[in-house]
Amino acid sequence: MAPSLLPRFLLGRLVKAAIVILAIVVCNFFLIHAAPGDPASIIAGQSGAADARFLEQLRAQFGLDQPLYVQLWLYLKGVLTLDLGFSHRQQVSVATLLWDRLPATLLLTGAAFLFAITAGVAMGALAARRVGGWGDTIITILALTFYATPLFWVGLMLVLLFSVALEWLPSFGMASVGVELHGIDAVLDVAKHLVLPGLTLGLFYVAVYARLSRATMLEVADQDFVKTARAKGVPEGRILRRHILRNALLPVITFAGIQAGQLIGGSILVETVFAWPGIGRLAFEALLARDYQVLMGVFFCTSVMVVLFNLITDLLYAIVDPRVEVAR
């Protein structure tokens, strides 16, 4: 991509991203409010009072007595100022909750993403280099097994093996309870807690990247420019790195950008299994408590992250393949 086209490219993508996020916010608002149940009744039940007068006070306090379009307008104005509402269950603003839980989710999904794409591409490259051999067969079987196995079952089996049987790794939480650690000890403690949930979330995507990398590398290996490089006597390792792998990474990067957003959704189940204090677990707790404001805040946060990941993917795609130019 020419440097002069980069500002125009970013501006166009940002405008489209803003429109997409606005549409998602509106759709999420109507979907949440279409769910059965009265949030005021839930709040009243938690406080031990459910008379009609108290319910009316609660609806007025949280704006539930307003028409739906008025509630939507008030919510959109709040989103524009990053005021995502107030959690009646946690008794704190939604923005504060998200800010406290987001680092844990980013740590989990980031670690799982790096593990998945690194291990997946490496396995795919190894399988493509030894097509039909034992390595290719074993990698294919492992990829299909990881792809077909539910995440929660993988997590439970890893806990039984590494936490219960071998006692190597902690089974839940993000840090040791009742122990005050600092510096490198605190980092290592979080890393130990991160291993099992990161593996659980990443193994499924390892299988996807391995299969995709293998297929694209085999396709690129049959291209004329690869055959020409071999005819010129270029070493096989250099052909693999400079010619085959680099061109095969283009569809992997595109797919990884899409999958990066899906990791946030997959983290809900993993965070629940491992009691990881992220926004996925927060969404699950808010769903059980009918805490609409928190749910909409989580949906808004994840939609922004997905759009951001897609924007980064477009930039990486243009960097990896210089032939890609911005459409005029």
Side-chain angles (χ1 to χ4, degrees), residues 200-228:
T200 302
L201 186 58
L203 281 176
F204 173 84
Y205 298 98
V206 165
V208 175
Y209 296 137
R211 298 291 295 170
L212 181 60
S213 299
R214 178 185 182 275
T216 53
M217 288 186 69
L218 290 178
E219 181 180 354
V220 173
D222 288 334
Q223 299 295 321
D224 291 338
F225 67 90
V226 176
K227 297 178 181 178
T228 302

Side-chain angles (χ1 to χ4, degrees), residues 12-47:
R13 287 294 187 273
L14 290 175
V15 171
K16 294 178 182 178
I19 296 174
V20 169
I21 292 173
L22 177 61
I24 292 174
V25 168
V26 174
C27 290
N28 286 334
F29 178 87
F30 285 112
L31 287 174
I32 291 296
H33 283 75
D38 184 7
S41 300
I42 302 295
I43 302 172
Q46 292 173 352
S47 62

Side-chain angles (χ1 to χ4, degrees), residues 21 26 42 66 68-69 77 115 150 168 188 211 236 268 297:
I21 292 173
V26 174
I42 302 295
Q66 300 288 336
L68 194 59
Y69 68 90
K77 287 201 305 183
F115 163 69
W168 288 355
L188 292 176
R211 298 291 295 170
E236 191 64 27
I268 295 178

Side-chain angles (χ1 to χ4, degrees), residues 53-70:
R53 184 176 180 180
F54 185 63
L55 287 175
E56 291 179 1
Q57 292 176 351
L58 287 176
R59 293 191 180 97
Q61 178 181 352
F62 292 99
L64 299 174
D65 58 339
Q66 300 288 336
L68 194 59
Y69 68 90
V70 176

Side-chain angles (χ1 to χ4, degrees), residues 18-316:
I19 296 174
V20 169
I21 292 173
L22 177 61
I24 292 174
V25 168
V26 174
C27 290
N28 286 334
F29 178 87
F30 285 112
L31 287 174
I32 291 296
H33 283 75
D38 184 7
S41 300
I42 302 295
I43 302 172
Q46 292 173 352
S47 62
D51 59 279
R53 184 176 180 180
F54 185 63
L55 287 175
E56 291 179 1
Q57 292 176 351
L58 287 176
R59 293 191 180 97
Q61 178 181 352
F62 292 99
L64 299 174
D65 58 339
Q66 300 288 336
L68 194 59
Y69 68 90
V70 176
Q71 296 183 44
L72 174 61
W73 172 244
L74 294 175
Y75 181 69
L76 289 177
K77 287 201 305 183
V79 168
L80 292 176
T81 59
L82 296 182
D83 179 9
L84 303 179
F86 188 83
S87 170
H88 64 80
R89 180 178 178 84
Q90 306 284 349
Q91 291 299 304
V92 68
S93 67
V94 175
T96 301
L97 281 175
L98 294 175
W99 184 256
D100 292 339
R101 298 289 190 100
L102 185 59
T105 295
L106 290 177
L107 177 63
L108 173 60
T109 55
F113 180 77
L114 290 177
F115 163 69
I117 197 167
T118 303
V121 171
M123 291 172 61
L126 181 61
R129 193 169 186 178
R130 297 288 185 267
V131 179
W134 282 104
D136 183 24
T137 303
I138 293 174
I139 290 173
T140 300
I141 293 174
L142 289 176
L144 291 176
T145 302
F146 293 150
Y147 185 79
T149 306
L151 284 178
F152 72 89
W153 189 87
V154 173
L156 293 176
M157 292 303 102
L158 290 178
V159 168
L160 289 177
L161 177 60
F162 292 103
S163 297
V164 178
L166 300 177
E167 298 183 354
W168 288 355
L169 297 169
S171 58
F172 66 91
M174 187 176 173
S176 299
V177 179
V179 180
E180 187 175 354
L181 300 174
H182 303 281
I184 188 64
D185 293 330
V187 174
L188 292 176
D189 184 57
V190 173
K192 287 176 60 178
H193 285 79
L194 179 63
V195 172
L196 290 185
L199 280 176
T200 302
L201 186 58
L203 281 176
F204 173 84
Y205 298 98
V206 165
V208 175
Y209 296 137
R211 298 291 295 170
L212 181 60
S213 299
R214 178 185 182 275
T216 53
M217 288 186 69
L218 290 178
E219 181 180 354
V220 173
D222 288 334
Q223 299 295 321
D224 291 338
F225 67 90
V226 176
K227 297 178 181 178
T228 302
R230 287 198 177 100
K232 290 181 177 180
V234 178
E236 191 64 27
R238 185 177 180 183
I239 292 176
L240 179 65
R241 295 189 306 270
R242 298 289 300 274
H243 298 278
I244 299 178
L245 184 58
R246 181 170 182 176
N247 288 278
L249 283 178
L250 297 179
V252 174
I253 291 175
T254 302
F255 194 72
I258 301 173
Q259 294 292 325
Q262 295 182 2
L263 277 170
I264 304 297
S267 68
I268 295 178
L269 185 59
V270 174
E271 288 180 5
T272 303
V273 171
F274 290 96
W276 188 265
I279 60 175
R281 189 179 176 199
L282 177 65
F284 180 74
E285 295 170 351
L287 179 63
L288 296 180
R290 301 288 178 85
D291 200 340
Y292 287 171
Q293 296 293 332
V294 174
L295 275 177
M296 290 190 294
V298 170
F299 292 157
F300 170 74
C301 182
T302 53
S303 63
V304 171
M305 293 173 64
V306 170
V307 171
L308 180 61
F309 287 146
N310 288 329
L311 177 60
I312 295 174
T313 302
D314 290 339
L315 291 174
L316 289 177

